[in-house]
Amino acid sequence: MAPGAARRARRRVRGAPPAGARARSAEDWWWDRLVPRGSGYHLLQSDSMLLLLPGPGPARPRAQRRAARAPAAKARPRAAPAPEPPRGPDPGWGDRIPLEILLQIFGLLVAAEGPMPFLGRAARVCRRWHEAASQPALWHTVTLSPPLAGRPAKSGAKAEKKLLASLEWLMPSRFSQLQRLTLIHWKSQVHPVLKLVSECCPRLTFLKLSDCHGVTPDTLVMLAKACSQLHSLDIQHSMVESTAVVNFLEEAGPRMRKLWLTYSSQTTAILGALLGSCCPRLQVLEVSTGISRNSTPLQLPVEALQKGCPQLQVLRLLNLMWLPKPAGRVAAPGPGFPSLEELCLAGSTCNFVSDEALGRLLHGSPSLRLLDLRGCARITPAGLCDLPCQELQQLHLGLYGMSDRLTLAKEGSHLLTHKWRHSLRELDLSGQGFSEKDLEQALAAFSATPGGSPPALCSVNLRGTRVTPSTVSSVISSCPGLLYLNLESCRCLPRGLKRAYRGQEEVQWCLEQLLTSLPSSG
């Protein structure tokens, strides 16, 4: 043997593993690292994922993996392996996932995107997925809308009948635990759908009808009797007769919690039922005019509403002309709303709400957190300062679309900020006619909060006000948590800075620009 060949042979023998030892590849090391032996779990590898499943699994064919990794050119000739017994078709990794894990995964997707169309598509994957997607616990919130909404009347009616035929077998098997149902753009088949709901959905708690027609009094009463847990009704933007709503409230009134209405000529009868203590446990009441504004004033007696709905927590009268009835000379003050947390009287035009009417409405509401008075040009800072709430967090006083005669110079904005500087998080003064000096005093309150803690203010809207650069830079420096600042149409600010700033980076950039534009003292 040549000397070079002998040295190479000795080198191979010296570096070879001992007899009986088996070389460990990097893949084997990571496999044992992820799931140690005796841990009670095993790994299942598919094309695009690695699953960790409980219980002992089949041993990995390491010899086959090493043979697959070795190049075909260097493979040594070996004896032919013994033929394996024929195996049946692989059911796939989807059938190996436990049902409990599938339900948790499907539950997360349903909470994010809703049950449809995901559950319908998942049921077609395999038998295990079909079993998981058929669990009624996943079908707790459903929105039903005909697919041809907005098409001609004949096509829309055919689409509703087709969807109704699907619901006739879907509701008994899937909707037994349905809690929230929304119907959109149903024109002719509302009654059959709600009849199915009354028969198959005893746990229904919330019903919303949006752009629906043909709701009869018998339909809602039948639903109120069949669904004993139904406590929330939203019929905004739907054509529903007032007698249907009144009959429904008479049947389900004692358990009603939330009610959404669209103001029309028939709303008076519904509000009359509320004033007569038909819903003593009502917590949320919203009345809006929708897209088309109604110029007919709404006469709502404050004291009667306080007696009829003493547990009201949220009251919204949106974009309508609310005309409070006068209290009279000897009328005693009402009981108030002790639990009221949100009051919204926002409108796009001037309304008749005054300090006196606001005081009658909120004199017994110390827990108020949100007060939205956008468009209420007759409200003054002095009237707001007399309110009993001490922990107000959101105050909206913007005047949008008002003429100059309604935005005359005012004073007293510092009364608002000094009273609620410790709790205020959102402040909207857009369009208000406060002077430069008045705004400077008002916003300076946030630089000296009690206790030395930074202010909680995170949103300020000063659009169209007379705020100065020094005042803006002061409020930014004093409020480190400021995330939104609107300086559009502020006539006292330099050009290029009159815009809305979102996020801390943009707000800090605005501060740098203001500091460079300020004249240096000295």
Side-chain angles (χ1 to χ4, degrees):
M1 181 181 294
R7 285 195 298 270
R8 286 194 297 271
R10 288 194 299 269
R11 198 177 298 121
R12 284 198 298 270
V13 172
R14 194 181 303 120
R22 185 170 55 183
R24 287 172 55 85
S25 64
E27 183 179 356
D28 294 335
W29 183 85
W30 275 109
W31 193 275
D32 295 334
R33 184 83 171 179
L34 291 174
V35 182
R37 296 180 181 179
S39 62
Y41 293 87
H42 70 277
L43 287 174
L44 181 64
Q45 186 177 7
S46 66
D47 296 337
S48 59
M49 64 179 65
L50 193 65
L51 301 177
L52 178 64
L53 301 178
R60 290 197 68 196
R62 300 188 179 183
Q64 296 180 7
R65 293 201 310 272
R66 290 199 302 272
R69 288 196 303 270
K74 297 183 181 180
R76 298 179 180 179
R78 297 181 180 180
E84 298 181 359
R87 298 180 180 179
D90 186 6
W93 61 267
D95 283 343
R96 302 176 188 173
I97 303 178
L99 183 61
E100 295 78 8
I101 297 179
L102 269 182
L103 289 177
Q104 293 182 10
I105 296 174
F106 287 3
L108 295 176
L109 293 173
V110 168
E113 302 179 2
M116 302 177 66
F118 166 71
L119 291 180
R121 296 171 179 173
R124 303 177 183 179
V125 174
C126 60
R127 294 182 179 179
R128 178 62 59 85
W129 283 42
H130 182 274
E131 181 183 2
S134 303
Q135 298 296 321
L138 296 175
W139 298 81
H140 54 78
T141 303
V142 175
T143 299
L144 301 176
S145 176
L148 298 179
R151 301 290 181 88
K154 293 184 178 180
S155 300
K158 291 182 179 179
E160 292 185 19
K161 292 181 180 179
K162 184 177 180 180
L163 183 55
L164 179 61
S166 301
L167 292 176
E168 288 179 353
W169 66 264
L170 186 64
M171 280 194 178
S173 60
R174 302 289 193 276
F175 290 6
S176 61
Q177 298 186 25
L178 183 66
Q179 298 178 8
R180 299 177 63 88
L181 176 63
T182 300
L183 301 180
I184 303 177
H185 304 307
W186 287 79
K187 306 297 182 182
S188 59
Q189 301 296 326
V190 177
H191 179 76
V193 172
L194 293 182
K195 183 179 180 180
L196 282 175
V197 172
S198 62
E199 296 174 354
C200 306
C201 308
R203 299 186 179 183
L204 189 69
T205 61
F206 172 86
L207 175 63
K208 179 178 180 180
L209 304 177
S210 180
D211 192 24
C212 294
H213 298 177
V215 182
T216 62
D218 297 337
T219 303
L220 290 180
V221 173
M222 172 186 61
L223 196 65
K225 293 180 179 180
C227 303
S228 59
Q229 301 180 21
L230 182 60
H231 58 69
S232 300
L233 178 64
D234 186 351
I235 56 174
Q236 288 185 341
H237 316 300
S238 292
M239 297 183 64
V240 183
E241 297 179 2
S242 60
T243 54
V245 182
V246 171
N247 294 341
F248 173 82
L249 294 179
E250 291 177 353
E251 179 67 30
R255 64 174 184 265
M256 288 298 295
R257 299 289 186 276
K258 301 177 182 180
L259 181 62
W260 292 266
L261 304 172
T262 299
Y263 181 64
S264 63
S265 58
Q266 300 184 1
T267 312
T268 305
I270 303 175
L271 294 178
L274 297 178
L275 299 179
S277 300
C278 183
C279 303
R281 304 174 66 180
L282 193 68
Q283 298 176 357
V284 177
L285 175 61
E286 178 176 325
V287 183
S288 66
T289 58
I291 301 176
S292 58
R293 186 177 180 276
N294 196 326
S295 58
T296 304
L298 170 64
Q299 292 190 354
L300 185 63
V302 175
E303 289 75 16
L305 183 62
Q306 292 172 348
K307 295 179 181 179
C309 305
Q311 300 184 14
L312 205 63
Q313 298 179 3
V314 177
L315 176 60
R316 304 189 188 106
L317 305 178
L318 304 177
N319 202 27
L320 50 83
M321 191 176 299
W322 177 43
L323 185 61
K325 289 186 177 181
R329 297 182 179 180
V330 296
F337 296 112
S339 304
L340 192 65
E341 298 180 359
E342 177 183 342
L343 175 63
C344 183
L345 304 177
S348 58
T349 59
C350 180
N351 54 37
F352 299 97
V353 181
S354 60
D355 292 340
E356 185 267 339
L358 189 64
R360 291 165 50 195
L361 192 61
L362 297 177
H363 73 89
S365 305
S367 303
L368 193 68
R369 296 292 182 270
L370 188 150
L371 182 58
D372 191 349
L373 300 176
R374 286 174 291 183
C376 300
R378 301 186 180 187
I379 299 296
T380 63
L384 293 174
C385 191
D386 294 335
L387 297 179
C389 50
Q390 301 294 332
E391 301 293 333
L392 193 66
Q393 298 179 359
Q394 302 180 39
L395 178 60
H396 301 274
L397 300 176
L399 300 178
Y400 299 92
M402 300 295 175
S403 59
D404 294 337
R405 63 184 179 85
L406 295 177
T407 58
L408 301 177
K410 297 180 181 179
E411 60 181 8
S413 59
H414 63 279
L415 299 175
L416 308 177
T417 55
H418 279 274
K419 180 176 181 177
W420 294 306
R421 60 184 178 183
H422 64 285
S423 61
L424 206 59
R425 296 180 57 86
E426 297 182 14
L427 178 62
D428 182 6
L429 298 177
S430 58
Q432 291 286 349
F434 299 112
S435 62
E436 296 91 335
K437 188 66 175 179
D438 198 88
L439 288 174
E440 181 180 359
Q441 295 178 359
L443 297 179
F446 296 105
S447 60
T449 55
S453 59
L457 193 66
C458 59
S459 175
V460 180
N461 191 344
L462 300 174
R463 181 181 182 274
T465 61
R466 298 183 177 90
V467 66
T468 59
S470 59
T471 304
V472 175
S473 59
S474 175
V475 70
I476 295 177
S477 303
S478 304
C479 303
L482 195 61
L483 300 176
Y484 176 77
L485 179 62
N486 194 338
L487 301 177
E488 296 176 352
S489 304
C490 294
R491 63 190 70 178
C492 298
L493 297 181
R495 293 183 177 180
L497 299 180
K498 303 177 183 180
R499 65 181 185 88
Y501 300 88
R502 296 174 175 86
Q504 290 185 348
E505 294 183 359
E506 293 188 6
V507 172
Q508 292 301 320
W509 180 86
C510 176
L511 176 60
E512 295 175 359
Q513 299 299 317
L514 289 172
L515 294 178
T516 56
S517 64
L518 290 175
S520 57
S521 59

